[in-house]
């Protein structure tokens, strides 16, 4: 195979996103020289519009960790964290991040990432986030921490007292620290204006994701979906660049749908859609391309996924509200996927299986992510019971390559696809 | 059998009665009584008590129950406690419980709360979210709402809404309970041979499955006996604090192994919930719920479940070790316990800075082999005795 053939096929939206990210990381590498202040924070429950409204630059340690995984750097970083006492059992994102820091904090573009001026602990849907930033607070002594505690949707609803609790924290804990670090006063009008852009991006993202209801689907909502959510889940929500990206993406998806084309894979367009799947759980990043290839080689496409909702469940109707910016940030945080209770998660997946006409439901269970993984076997049973589709279960890890067993996963998936094939034949005969 | 031995035998039996026979017997005596099971770590039992209820600690199945169904609900890389709890829920262990409370301590317990909603155990299943903001008008307001939800849940079952006097009375009883437990720890600090760590564990754990009145009575007797009578003989042991076992409980064999290896356990976090509030909660106010809220915000002990920026738990652990005149610290955490294991490196650094020796190991609640742990603890003890 020639070098040109080996390179992934890229659409214009992909190039656009690549440029956005390159610009972002260049800006980060020059932050100190440019006098820009830097905020470390998380993807689920991120407060990007608020951060940007103070002209602060956000850094997302999870994104750094997954990028390290994709660049085959994570194994060494994890080993270094384990050498200083972190257990083999704990979250590998945390260990990868700490290992990266121990090795000079070199970011995805090969440039050094700036140290934080503020640690914004947006504690949404993952208990480990709190432990992670407690550790970072010790590793960056003197850097202020702003804690935003997001209540869990224990009853499957968001109550007014929960919203009040979060808004009070935003007003009295988060915003004052951002003012202190940035030297700027909070500007509600600026935040509100950004949210108008957020809504436009959110509308477009939902259209893109819901295009997978078509048979055949013009997109893969997991392997390609993780790219689609990039700008809106990270540093760009609320910006005009994000709106431009999602408009471009939506245009491309519409064109593909009109032409009856399947999803774009790294080796070109998927020619035949054989299996439509709903996927639960994050992907493995260390062997992402190999993992994806197992699917598209078998004609399997992911039509809906829960991972693409960790940074917001826009497809169930939530939108940022420019008329109530702080309240809507609170509701946004509480609506992220891992902040939903288990029955809500099951309901959501059941709807996906039905609305997206899925042939099966598959879980990629992550060894070091309790937030996702604890309870997944019950989710699997419930989905099988409610929908009747065959369910599958594979195991890997986020960024620890020791827990990605290619042969094992391939064997399991091939057996699973055979089962789906058989079922299709039986259903066709009935 | 003398009186202390009778008490110890009763406590051992009750602590590991996974059918909670005494608690169920108590409930059966009156129609308006409710049983509320709660998971580790802390839960303000006072509010359930005041509403004619008994809050029963469900600390896992340990090594006392074979797990069959539970393993079908949890992957191998999830800690052991939830699989034992779901097994108990699917079997008849938790029959007659009216509700369950899942304190916000980690993602596994959080998701288990949803699993109980699906299995339909009890009449209610409540995730009990603690504030991680400790200002009274922010985190305090939120926490008050969480407590009121529990009171509503219980009222739905038995129609009882406790008044101020009932709540203050309950607060007073649990104040006495914590004082007595602390008294036992204080006596053991001076005379650790009079009551072993295993015996202490049994006594405190039994208190999670019986009424506070009965437990207080037993504790008073134990205090009186060990305060005034010599028992056992001093050994050439080192003094250690064990930390990291606040949720999934270590098997008794592990605690025994550490003791037999030459370590007096002078403090620990095994039954942390029973000792969570440091000092008394005000039981004389017009707003007892607020008193509980204030106590949680200002008098909580340190724990991996609580956000600690501004009051780091490593420093508080060192302070505890010094207060207990401990020679060393043993980090003993359940496998796959993110909160405990992610705290460990930074806490160890604090120990190093303070010159306190430490070792660490991991366990499952049903670990059956203790040889390695005993050797490790024995070497730790010897090294301190010989060279410290």
């Amino acid at each position: 195979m020639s070098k040109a053939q080996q390179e992934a096929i890229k659409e214009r939206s992909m190039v656009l996103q690549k440029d956005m990210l390159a610009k972002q990381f260049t800006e980060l590498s020059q932050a100190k020289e440019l006098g820009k202040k830097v905020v470390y924070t998380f993807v689920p429950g991120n407060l990007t519009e608020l951060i940007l409204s103070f002209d602060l630059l956000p850094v997302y340690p999870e994104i750094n960790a997954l990028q390290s995984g994709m660049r085959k750097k994570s194994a060494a970083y994890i080993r270094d964290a384990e050498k200083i006492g972190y257990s083999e059992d704990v979250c590998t994102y945390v260990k990868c991040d700490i290992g990266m820091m121990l090795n000079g904090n070199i970011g995805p573009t090969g440039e050094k990432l700036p140290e934080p001026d503020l640690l914004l602990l947006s504690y949404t849907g993952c208990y480990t986030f709190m432990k992670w930033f407690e550790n970072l607070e010790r590793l960056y002594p003197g850097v202020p921490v702003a804690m935003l505690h997001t209540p869990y949707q224990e009853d499957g609803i968001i109550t007014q007292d929960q919203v009040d609790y979060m808004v009070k924290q935003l007003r009295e804990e988060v915003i004052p620290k951002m003012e202190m670090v940035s030297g700027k006063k909070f500007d509600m009008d600026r935040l509100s204006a950004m949210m108008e852009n957020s809504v436009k991006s959110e509308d477009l993202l939902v259209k893109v994701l819901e295009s997978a209801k078509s048979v055949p689907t013009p997109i893969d909502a997991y392997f390609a979906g993780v790219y689609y959510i990039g700008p809106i889940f990270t540093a760009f929500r609320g910006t005009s660049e994000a709106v431009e990206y999602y408009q471009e993406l939506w245009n491309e998806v519409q064109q593909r749908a009109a032409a009856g084309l399947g999803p774009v894979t790294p080796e070109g367009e998927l020619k035949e859609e054989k299996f439509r799947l709903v996927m639960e759980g994050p992907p493995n990043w260390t062997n992402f391309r190999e993992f994806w290839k197992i699917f598209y080689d078998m004609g399997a496409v992911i039509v809906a996924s829960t991972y693409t909702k960790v940074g917001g469940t826009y497809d169930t109707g939530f939108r940022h509200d420019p008329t109530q910016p702080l309240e809507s940030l609170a509701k946004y945080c509480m609506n992220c996927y891992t902040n939903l209770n288990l029955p809500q998660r099951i309901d959501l997946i059941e709807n996906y299986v039905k609305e997206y006409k899925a042939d099966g439901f598959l879980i990629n269970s992550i060894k070091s992510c309790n937030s996702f993984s604890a309870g997944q076997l019950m989710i699997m049973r419930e989905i099988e019971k409610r929908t009747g589709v065959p369910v599958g279960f594979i195991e890997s890890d986020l960024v620890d390559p020791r827990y990605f067993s290619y042969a094992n996963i391939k064997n399991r998936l091939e057996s699973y696809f055979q089962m789906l094939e058989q079922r299709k034949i039986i259903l066709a005969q009935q | 059998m003398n009186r202390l031995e009778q008490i110890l035998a009763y406590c051992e039996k009750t602590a590991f009665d996974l059918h909670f026979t005494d608690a169920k017997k108590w409930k059966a005596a009156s129609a308006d009584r409710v049983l509320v099971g709660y998971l580790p770590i802390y839960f303000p039992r006072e509010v359930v008590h005041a509403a004619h209820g008994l809050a029963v600690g469900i600390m896992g199945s340990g090594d006392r129950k074979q797990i069959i169904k539970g393993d079908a609900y949890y992957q191998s890389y999830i800690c052991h406690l939830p699989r034992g709890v779901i097994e108990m829920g699917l079997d008849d262990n938790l029959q007659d419980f009216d509700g369950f409370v899942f304190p916000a301590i980690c993602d596994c317990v959080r998701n288990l709360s949803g699993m109980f909603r699906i299995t339909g155990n009890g009449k209610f299943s409540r995730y009990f979210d603690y504030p991680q903001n400790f200002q009274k008008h922010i985190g305090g307001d939120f926490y008050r709402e969480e407590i009121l939800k529990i009171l509503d849940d219980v009222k739905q079952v038995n129609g009882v809404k406790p008044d101020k006097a009932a709540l203050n009375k309950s607060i007073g009883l649990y104040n006495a309970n914590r004082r007595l437990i602390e008294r036992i720890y204080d006596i053991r600090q001076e005379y650790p041979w009079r009551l072993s760590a295993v015996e202490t564990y049994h006594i405190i754990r039994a208190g999670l499955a019986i009424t506070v009145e009965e437990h207080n009575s037993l504790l008073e007797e134990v205090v009186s006996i060990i305060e005034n009578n010599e028992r056992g003989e001093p050994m050439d042991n080192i003094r250690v604090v064990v930390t990291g076992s606040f949720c999934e409980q270590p098997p008794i064999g592990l605690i025994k192994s550490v003791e037999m290896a030459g370590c007096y356990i002078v403090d620990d976090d095994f039954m942390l919930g029973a000792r969570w509030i440091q000092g008394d909660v005000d039981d004389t106010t017009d707003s007892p719920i607020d008193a509980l809220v204030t106590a949680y915000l200002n008098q909580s002990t340190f724990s991996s479940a609580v956000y600690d920026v501004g009051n780091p738990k490593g420093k508080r652990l060192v302070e505890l070790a010094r207060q207990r005149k401990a020679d060393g610290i043993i980090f003993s955490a359940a496998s796959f316990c993110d909160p405990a294991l992610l705290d460990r490196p930074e806490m160890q650094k604090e120990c190093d800075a303070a010159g306190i020796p430490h070792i660490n190991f991991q366990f499952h609640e049903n670990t059956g082999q203790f040889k390695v742990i005993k050797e490790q603890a024995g070497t730790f003890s010897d090294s301190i005795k010989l060279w410290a």
Side-chain angles (χ1 to χ4, degrees):
Chain A
M1 190 182 281
S2 72
K3 196 180 170 198
Q5 281 174 305
Q6 283 176 337
E7 280 177 8
I9 309 295
K10 286 193 168 61
E11 292 187 306
R12 190 176 166 268
S13 63
M14 294 179 193
V15 176
L16 206 56
Q17 184 176 157
K18 196 179 169 196
D19 292 345
M20 287 161 77
L21 289 170
K23 192 176 151 211
Q24 181 205 359
F25 279 98
T26 302
E27 197 174 10
L28 280 171
S29 70
Q30 298 166 351
K32 299 298 170 186
E33 291 84 351
L34 297 170
K36 295 259 188 180
K37 303 289 185 184
V38 174
V39 181
Y40 283 21
T41 195
F42 291 112
V43 169
N46 70 70
L47 307 177
T48 299
E49 297 92 341
L50 188 64
I51 294 169
L52 297 179
S53 78
F54 283 98
D55 292 318
L56 297 164
L57 298 178
V59 169
Y60 302 88
E62 302 140 284
I63 304 296
N64 296 338
L66 76 85
Q67 293 271 10
S68 297
M70 293 180 110
R71 289 180 302 126
K72 311 287 183 198
K73 302 265 188 193
S74 56
Y77 290 160
I78 289 168
R79 249 194 333 267
D80 286 347
E82 288 176 357
K83 274 184 205 159
I84 62 163
Y86 288 90
S87 168
E88 270 191 37
D89 291 356
V90 302
C91 172
T92 51
Y93 269 174
V94 179
K95 286 188 288 188
C96 183
D97 183 41
I98 286 171
M100 184 174 117
M101 197 194 134
L102 296 172
N103 285 280
N105 226 17
I106 306 300
T109 53
E111 293 162 303
K112 184 175 170 25
L113 288 173
E115 295 197 350
D117 297 290
L118 176 68
L119 295 165
L120 172 55
L121 171 45
S122 175
Y123 167 44
T124 297
C126 168
Y127 192 85
T128 298
F129 284 166
M130 192 169 84
K131 311 312 298 175
W132 191 340
F133 267 36
E134 282 178 353
N135 273 271
L136 288 193
E137 193 258 349
R138 315 295 196 262
L139 295 167
Y140 294 109
V143 173
V145 187
M147 158 60 117
L148 177 67
H149 173 210
T150 300
Y152 187 55
Q153 283 208 40
E154 55 180 298
D155 284 328
I157 51 165
I158 293 171
T159 62
Q160 191 55 46
D161 66 277
Q162 290 174 327
V163 174
D164 293 345
Y165 173 51
M166 290 202 69
V167 170
K168 273 197 264 183
Q169 291 180 80
L170 286 167
R171 284 187 189 283
E172 298 187 35
E173 167 74 10
V174 177
I175 290 173
K177 284 191 172 151
M178 286 185 169
E179 286 181 328
M180 182 187 75
V181 167
S182 68
K184 292 184 177 174
K185 290 297 289 177
F186 171 54
D187 184 344
M188 186 75 92
D189 292 338
R190 194 173 177 199
L191 177 64
S192 179
M194 285 186 154
M195 284 190 176
E196 285 173 15
N197 276 336
S198 304
V199 174
K200 288 177 195 163
S201 296
E202 288 155 4
D203 284 343
L204 289 163
L205 173 70
V206 171
K207 284 181 184 175
V208 170
L209 294 175
E210 292 190 340
S211 70
K213 288 180 181 174
S214 304
V215 183
T217 168
I219 65 160
D220 183 293
Y222 185 64
F223 293 105
V226 299
Y227 293 99
Y228 301 158
I229 58 176
I232 206 167
F233 279 14
T234 61
F236 301 96
R237 200 180 61 224
T239 66
S240 54
E241 290 99 316
V243 179
E244 187 192 348
Y245 165 78
Y246 284 105
Q247 188 58 62
E248 178 61 32
L249 177 64
W250 174 229
N251 292 343
E252 287 169 7
V253 169
Q254 282 177 296
Q255 285 162 18
R256 300 191 68 75
L261 299 175
V264 179
T265 76
E267 294 180 32
E269 179 194 311
L270 184 76
K271 299 293 180 202
E272 187 192 1
E273 176 184 288
K274 288 175 75 178
F275 309 112
R276 297 168 62 84
L277 304 175
V278 171
M279 180 77 113
E280 149 79 7
N284 162 271
W285 300 110
T286 57
N287 299 68
F288 186 81
R289 285 277 290 274
E290 279 176 278
F291 189 34
W292 188 356
K293 186 171 166 53
I294 300 172
F295 286 80
Y296 62 71
D297 278 353
M298 299 296 293
V301 62
I302 312 299
V303 289
S305 69
T306 55
Y307 180 68
T308 50
K309 314 298 157 27
V310 288
T313 51
Y314 300 112
D315 58 343
T316 57
F318 173 81
R319 294 291 182 276
H320 283 84
D321 181 353
T323 67
Q324 291 189 307
L326 297 184
E327 288 77 2
S328 87
L329 281 176
K331 289 176 185 168
Y332 158 73
C333 291
M334 286 188 272
N335 255 320
C336 290
Y337 177 70
T338 48
N339 204 55
L340 306 180
N341 72 17
L342 215 67
Q344 284 176 293
R345 282 171 64 179
I346 293 168
D347 289 345
L348 186 72
I349 294 166
E350 181 189 358
N351 286 340
Y352 284 163
V353 170
K354 290 175 178 167
E355 288 177 13
Y356 287 78
K357 303 174 207 64
D359 303 306
F361 170 60
L362 188 63
I363 293 176
N364 181 37
S365 185
I366 295 294
K367 181 244 173 197
S368 70
C369 182
N370 291 340
S371 178
F372 261 103
S373 301
Q376 279 178 329
L377 288 165
M378 181 173 249
I379 291 176
M380 190 173 77
R381 285 156 185 256
E382 284 294 310
I383 294 300
E384 188 172 33
K385 194 166 77 185
R386 292 187 195 185
T387 67
V389 299
V391 296
F393 195 84
I394 51 175
E395 295 169 304
S396 66
D397 190 56
L398 295 164
V399 289
D400 192 338
R402 292 173 295 188
Y403 299 104
F404 185 86
S405 168
Y406 177 77
N408 204 345
I409 288 172
K410 191 163 189 285
N411 274 344
R412 279 207 192 187
L413 284 174
E414 281 175 352
S415 303
Y416 180 62
F417 294 139
Q418 280 170 16
M419 184 166 70
L420 293 180
E421 187 81 64
Q422 287 300 316
R423 184 168 183 265
K424 278 195 168 186
I425 292 167
I426 292 165
L427 287 177
Q429 287 168 347
Q430 285 171 353
Chain B
M1 192 185 278
N2 65 31
R3 180 57 187 150
L4 182 59
E5 283 167 354
Q6 284 174 351
I7 292 171
L8 291 173
Y10 169 74
C11 287
E12 182 176 1
K13 178 176 72 73
T14 308
F16 289 103
D17 174 8
L18 297 184
H19 282 89
F20 306 96
T21 314
D22 285 7
K24 288 175 184 170
K25 206 181 287 176
W26 173 86
K27 175 186 154 82
S30 176
D32 71 345
R33 290 181 173 179
V34 297
L35 276 190
V36 178
Y38 71 94
L39 272 83
I41 312 172
Y42 167 71
F43 172 64
R45 291 178 283 171
E46 293 89 337
V47 295
V48 172
H49 181 273
H52 299 192
L54 177 57
V56 175
I58 299 173
M59 299 289 120
S61 60
D63 54 359
R64 315 289 168 121
K65 184 173 175 66
Q66 190 181 7
I67 303 303
I68 300 164
K69 296 184 272 287
D71 281 342
Y73 282 84
Y74 284 100
Q75 302 90 313
S76 58
Y77 37 83
I78 306 283
C79 60
H80 205 273
L81 176 123
R83 70 192 72 221
V85 174
I86 199 84
E87 183 96 16
M88 288 199 282
L90 294 169
D91 286 349
D92 63 351
N93 299 67
L94 303 178
Q95 265 177 17
D96 298 334
F97 277 72
D98 296 287
F100 299 92
V101 177
F102 299 82
I105 61 161
C106 71
D107 296 324
C108 290
V109 170
R110 185 196 68 182
N111 291 358
L112 182 61
S113 71
M115 292 170 75
F116 262 58
R117 282 179 186 243
I118 293 164
T119 56
N121 283 97
K123 299 180 183 80
F124 67 88
S125 174
R126 169 73 52 200
Y127 180 73
F128 192 62
D129 211 351
Y130 289 99
Q132 300 289 358
N133 175 295
F134 302 98
Q135 294 188 62
K136 197 162 192 311
H137 69 290
I138 304 177
D141 285 354
F142 173 75
Y143 187 46
R144 188 185 307 107
E145 291 296 325
E146 289 296 292
I147 293 177
L148 293 177
K149 283 179 199 169
I150 297 285
L151 283 170
D152 277 349
D153 288 336
V154 175
K155 192 181 167 206
Q156 295 289 323
V157 178
N158 68 356
V160 175
K161 186 182 176 190
D163 60 15
K164 185 176 70 181
L167 282 161
N168 276 330
K169 186 182 169 208
S170 301
I171 290 172
L173 285 166
Y174 280 95
N175 281 342
N177 190 263
R178 282 189 300 273
R179 278 199 299 266
L180 287 161
I181 291 171
E182 288 314 308
R183 183 68 197 128
I184 290 176
Y185 273 82
D186 289 345
I187 295 168
R188 289 191 70 252
Q189 176 166 352
E190 295 298 317
Y191 313 103
W193 53 87
R194 289 189 185 175
L195 197 68
S196 72
V198 170
E199 290 165 340
T200 308
Y201 181 87
H202 288 151
I203 291 167
I204 299 174
R205 182 159 171 170
L208 308 188
I210 57 178
T211 65
V212 64
E213 292 88 345
E214 190 187 354
H215 195 227
N216 284 353
S217 162
L218 293 173
L219 290 171
E220 279 167 8
E221 285 192 77
V222 172
V223 166
S224 167
I225 295 167
I226 64 169
E227 200 164 42
N228 301 310
N229 298 285
E230 200 48 83
R231 179 172 181 263
E233 285 183 18
M235 308 275 281
D236 183 23
N237 286 356
I238 62 160
R239 301 159 60 84
V240 298
V241 170
V242 176
T243 188
S245 315
F246 45 82
C247 175
E248 183 171 323
Q249 297 293 296
I252 287 298
L254 187 151
I255 304 174
K256 204 177 274 180
S257 296
V258 171
E259 287 194 301
M260 287 172 69
C263 303
Y264 283 132
I265 300 173
V266 291
D267 215 317
D268 59 74
D269 58 4
F270 301 142
M271 287 286 120
L272 192 60
R275 306 171 64 203
W276 187 271
I277 301 294
Q278 311 278 285
D280 283 353
V281 180
D282 192 344
D283 60 351
T284 61
T285 70
D286 286 335
S287 47
I289 301 292
D290 284 341
L292 286 166
V293 169
T294 304
Y296 180 80
L297 297 178
N298 301 328
Q299 294 167 237
S300 288
T301 186
F302 64 94
S303 152
S304 294
V306 180
Y307 175 61
D308 80 346
V309 168
N311 194 7
K313 55 187 85 70
K315 290 195 189 318
R316 294 176 76 178
L317 176 64
V318 166
E319 197 180 301
L320 174 68
R322 286 186 172 141
Q323 187 194 323
R324 291 294 187 202
K325 298 185 177 65
D327 301 300
I329 290 174
I330 294 179
F331 290 90
S332 163
S335 295
F336 304 109
C337 175
D338 258 16
L341 293 169
L342 282 167
D343 271 347
R344 199 176 65 187
E346 288 301 318
M347 291 176 98
Q348 287 175 331
K349 272 192 210 165
E350 290 289 349
C351 293
D352 290 338
I356 300 175
H358 53 86
I359 54 167
N360 76 78
F361 46 72
Q362 291 178 212
F363 66 87
H364 284 294
E365 61 179 1
N366 65 344
T367 296
Q369 295 289 333
F370 306 109
K371 192 168 177 286
V372 174
I373 287 171
K374 194 176 170 191
E375 281 172 4
Q376 201 181 344
T379 307
F380 185 55
S381 169
D382 289 347
S383 69
I384 287 174
K385 279 188 281 193
L386 291 170
W387 292 295

